[in-house]
Amino acid sequence: MSQHYEVLARKYRPHNFQELVGQTHTIRTLVNALDNNNLHHGFLFTGTRGVGKTTIARIFAKSVNCEEGVSSTPCGKCTTCLEIDKGQSVDLIELDAASNTGVDHMREILENAQYTPTKNLYKIYLIDEVHMLSKSSFNALLKTLEEPPAHIKFLLATTDPKKLPITVLSRCLQFNLNKLSHEEILNHLKFIMDEEKLNFDESALSKIAEFGNGSMRDALSLLDQSISYGNGCVKEEDLKEMLGLVNHNEIVKLAKLINNRDAEKILSFVKDLAHKGENLANALRDLTSIFHQISIAQVIQDNNQMSSEIADLANSFSAQDLQLYYQIAINGQKDMNLSPSEQIGLEMTLLRMIAFHPDYDDREKKNLKPTPNKKSKVIDTAAPKESPESSSNLREPNEEINKLDIKNQKEWEDIIKTFDFNGAGKMLVKNTVFKSLENQTLVLTLSSDFLNLLTPKTEDSIRNGLHKQYPAVELIFEPGETNGDSLSQKESVEREQKRKETESQFLSDDGLKELQEVFNSKVDLKSIKSIKESDNV
């Protein structure tokens, strides 16, 4: 009979603090407390899934109940340690709060807390996802948590500590567990594959570690799936087929096309990917990762830590371009689900990288350049043809071409307040900061939080507003940080200052203070408004 298969997450679950991956700050604190026998009665472990909350709690349970004595190094061989590892210890009461939220069940469990442990030094309550308990259950828990018997230890674990009552938080030592780093997960995956004596591509394990997103359990589950798919091997090509990933070489090629700003070849490339049935959302995600790798390569400048293709790309991209492309790619991922199709979403994201580039010149704009909003003129076809030199005389009498002349943010804000920008256009320009004006090309830094408003319709609306007085102006938006300098941010600060002044004046009134004292009441701060605000309601 074949041996029963044990999933990797269970088979390689750490049995002591030395085997744990990451969480050094938590381990150090617990080790010192255990070795000095200076133990609190309540511990709360918080963090996302798969970072070691319940694993640390079980190791702690072994450490305090090991038959060789309390220490940070349980023997792992005594009856107690083995029972805890197998989940068979009568003095370790594990409760899943997600499926046991009722107060009656909690009371029944806690009523037994007064009795001494059956065989160990401590009776330990391990409550997972403790934030799922009902309000009544929390109240029942709190009574025991406030003044627990000396033989009781509470180990609480949660992915959402914000939902815990402050009364519970204040009675526990809290340990915030971090997501595991890519390197920590990758090294552990390689260790497991070596222990299992299985073949693997390191690039495939690196991709699995990336998909783990800081969770060791998620990464190990994907590794299990990859081993089965590859019949005992984890290869990059198999992983690509299993997850619908785009070949790395294809992503590198796409990055080169973007650097060359060749729109036609980019669209053709995306079309080919779509016809091959590639996952285009993953393609955009991988492209974003490539931009990050290139940026890191430019900073560390160590060819031993990067592939030759990344090193070549690092020499061809500018740091400014990478920041622009990365920001657009991140926002493109958010918008992908809103696009009519993945292909359209990816194409528009890549075209945005080209259109927002500072060096996007007239030759590149030939198919996208907006038509200036000028009055159309009727020309008599029977009239003599004008020479190029005399074509400027076709303007209306007394018509002048005004030239925009602003030099700073203050002058740009005056334009915003003066011109008739409508709806989303008004909101968008108020969240821009003046960057430069050269040869009637106005460059504005647009807050990255408002990139979703930059639709072709909104952009045309803003241009049309400017062209009414300055028809020669070209407009370029660059995503970036406005750092509190935009008109919208200044107005927000001003409103907040006025609100605080109004609130302060109102609360300082002697009559109000007397009313509060007589009726033992408090003012609803949200209800305080200036007379002007009240009139507008």
Side-chain angles (χ1 to χ4, degrees):
M1 182 181 293
S2 61
Q3 187 177 3
H4 178 69
Y5 179 74
E6 188 175 12
V7 297
L8 296 177
R10 291 180 60 87
K11 184 176 182 180
Y12 288 94
R13 169 172 276 166
H15 296 289
N16 54 57
F17 289 118
Q18 290 71 35
E19 293 178 2
L20 273 168
V21 178
Q23 316 306 349
T24 54
H25 64 293
T26 296
I27 294 172
R28 179 178 178 180
T29 304
L30 292 177
V31 166
N32 290 338
L34 288 163
D35 288 342
N36 295 316
N37 202 8
N38 183 19
L39 300 175
H40 198 270
H41 65 271
F43 297 82
L44 174 63
F45 302 103
T46 70
T48 188
R49 66 186 186 279
V51 295
K53 299 185 297 297
T54 53
T55 296
I56 290 176
R58 290 192 181 109
I59 295 173
F60 181 89
K62 287 196 296 184
S63 297
V64 297
N65 279 336
C66 178
E67 294 173 12
E68 293 191 1
V70 177
S71 75
S72 63
T73 55
C75 70
K77 299 177 181 178
C78 67
T79 303
T80 299
C81 286
L82 293 175
E83 286 177 347
I84 292 175
D85 280 337
K86 295 176 182 178
Q88 299 172 350
S89 173
V90 293
D91 290 326
L92 174 59
I93 299 95
E94 296 194 37
L95 177 66
D96 178 15
S99 55
N100 295 279
T101 60
V103 63
D104 292 337
H105 186 67
M106 178 60 68
R107 283 175 179 159
E108 180 184 346
I109 291 173
L110 293 176
E111 281 175 0
N112 295 321
Q114 59 183 309
Y115 303 115
T116 58
T118 302
K119 57 178 292 189
N120 300 134
L121 183 62
Y122 293 102
K123 182 179 288 187
I124 297 173
Y125 288 90
L126 171 53
I127 306 178
D128 198 12
E129 297 300 349
V130 66
H131 68 274
M132 299 288 286
L133 290 178
S134 65
K135 185 177 180 180
S136 300
S137 295
F138 271 125
N139 290 335
L141 173 64
L142 187 61
K143 291 179 181 179
T144 308
L145 195 59
E146 284 178 335
E147 297 180 3
H151 60 266
I152 293 292
K153 300 293 178 189
F154 284 99
L155 306 179
L156 312 180
T158 177
T159 55
D160 196 353
K162 293 180 182 178
K163 292 184 179 179
L164 292 180
I166 189 66
T167 48
V168 173
L169 291 172
S170 64
R171 287 166 174 80
C172 296
L173 295 183
Q174 185 170 341
F175 296 91
N176 300 313
L177 306 188
N178 301 321
K179 282 187 173 184
L180 299 176
S181 70
H182 179 274
E183 286 301 315
E184 287 171 337
I185 296 177
L186 175 58
N187 290 335
H188 194 58
L189 297 183
K190 290 195 287 187
F191 165 76
I192 289 174
M193 293 298 288
D194 289 336
E195 287 291 306
E196 295 290 313
K197 296 180 173 56
L198 299 176
N199 295 326
F200 64 91
D201 290 340
E202 184 165 339
S203 57
L205 294 188
S206 179
K207 183 61 68 175
I208 291 174
E210 181 182 330
F211 272 81
N213 193 28
S215 168
M216 184 66 78
R217 186 170 66 240
D218 287 1
L220 290 177
S221 296
L222 185 55
L223 182 63
D224 259 323
Q225 183 181 351
S226 303
I227 291 172
S228 297
Y229 188 89
N231 195 25
C233 299
V234 178
K235 298 296 182 181
E236 186 172 8
E237 278 301 312
D238 291 340
L239 190 67
K240 172 186 174 297
E241 292 177 4
M242 187 180 81
L243 299 178
L245 302 178
V246 181
N247 189 284
H248 179 71
N249 293 333
E250 300 272 40
I251 302 301
V252 171
K253 182 178 179 181
L254 180 56
K256 291 178 180 178
L257 292 176
I258 293 169
N259 191 40
N260 294 333
R261 301 199 302 281
D262 192 328
E264 291 183 4
K265 288 185 178 180
I266 287 174
L267 293 176
S268 176
F269 185 83
V270 172
K271 185 178 180 180
D272 289 342
L273 288 180
H275 283 173
K276 287 189 287 187
E278 303 284 11
N279 188 314
L280 301 186
N282 282 342
L284 181 55
R285 175 176 172 171
D286 289 346
L287 180 65
T288 310
S289 179
I290 280 278
F291 290 145
H292 166 256
Q293 293 174 44
I294 299 170
S295 297
I296 295 299
Q298 289 182 341
V299 174
I300 62 175
Q301 296 180 343
D302 184 355
N303 291 334
N304 295 324
Q305 297 187 26
M306 68 186 81
S307 63
S308 58
E309 57 200 13
I310 294 296
D312 291 340
L313 289 171
N315 292 326
S316 59
F317 279 88
S318 73
Q320 292 83 356
D321 287 355
L322 285 170
Q323 293 299 322
L324 173 67
Y325 297 155
Y326 180 84
Q327 187 61 48
I328 293 174
I330 287 291
N331 283 283
Q333 290 181 47
K334 297 176 185 176
D335 295 341
M336 188 67 88
N337 290 334
L338 303 176
S339 300
S341 68
E342 281 192 348
Q343 183 174 346
I344 291 174
L346 180 57
E347 287 176 349
M348 289 303 295
T349 299
L350 301 180
L351 289 177
R352 198 176 300 142
M353 293 177 186
I354 297 174
F356 282 176
H357 194 280
D359 296 334
Y360 180 48
D361 58 25
D362 288 338
R363 176 181 56 81
E364 293 172 307
K365 293 177 187 174
K366 59 185 178 182
N367 295 320
L368 299 174
K369 183 175 179 180
T371 304
N373 187 20
K374 299 180 182 178
K375 294 180 179 179
S376 58
K377 300 177 177 61
V378 179
I379 302 175
D380 187 353
T381 55
K385 291 184 178 179
E386 300 285 343
S387 64
E389 291 79 7
S390 62
S391 60
S392 60
N393 296 326
L394 289 174
R395 297 193 201 103
E396 302 283 353
N398 302 322
E399 181 184 0
E400 295 182 1
I401 297 296
N402 294 329
K403 299 291 183 179
L404 181 62
D405 183 20
I406 57 175
K407 303 179 182 64
N408 52 48
Q409 175 65 12
K410 174 63 171 64
E411 294 177 352
W412 169 234
E413 290 174 9
D414 291 339
I415 292 285
I416 296 174
K417 295 173 183 177
T418 303
F419 278 54
D420 184 24
F421 298 113
N422 297 319
K426 183 75 169 179
M427 182 184 295
L428 191 140
V429 295
K430 289 177 72 172
N431 284 280
T432 60
V433 170
F434 173 81
K435 182 175 182 180
S436 64
L437 175 63
E438 294 181 8
N439 299 324
Q440 292 300 288
T441 297
L442 175 62
V443 181
L444 301 171
T445 299
L446 172 62
S447 172
S448 301
D449 294 334
F450 291 87
L451 275 176
N452 60 316
L453 291 180
L454 193 62
T455 63
K457 183 177 180 180
T458 303
E459 197 169 350
D460 285 346
S461 171
I462 296 170
R463 282 197 177 92
N464 292 338
L466 284 173
H467 286 163
K468 289 177 182 178
Q469 188 166 342
Y470 304 108
V473 169
E474 288 294 340
L475 191 59
I476 295 178
F477 292 96
E478 291 185 359
E481 299 302 322
T482 52
N483 300 318
D485 293 329
S486 71
L487 178 58
S488 178
Q489 290 167 319
K490 291 176 181 177
E491 288 177 344
S492 178
V493 170
E494 185 178 350
R495 283 194 302 271
E496 181 63 17
Q497 288 175 341
K498 288 182 179 179
R499 186 194 65 78
K500 288 183 177 179
E501 288 174 4
T502 302
E503 182 181 300
S504 177
Q505 291 174 2
F506 186 77
L507 295 177
S508 63
D509 182 78
D510 292 336
L512 174 66
K513 291 179 180 178
E514 186 175 346
L515 283 172
Q516 286 181 297
E517 186 174 343
V518 170
F519 292 102
N520 190 25
S521 59
K522 291 184 178 181
V523 174
D524 180 4
L525 298 180
K526 295 180 181 179
S527 68
I528 300 176
K529 292 183 174 66
S530 65
I531 295 175
K532 183 177 180 180
E533 287 178 304
S534 300
D535 291 341
N536 291 332
V537 174

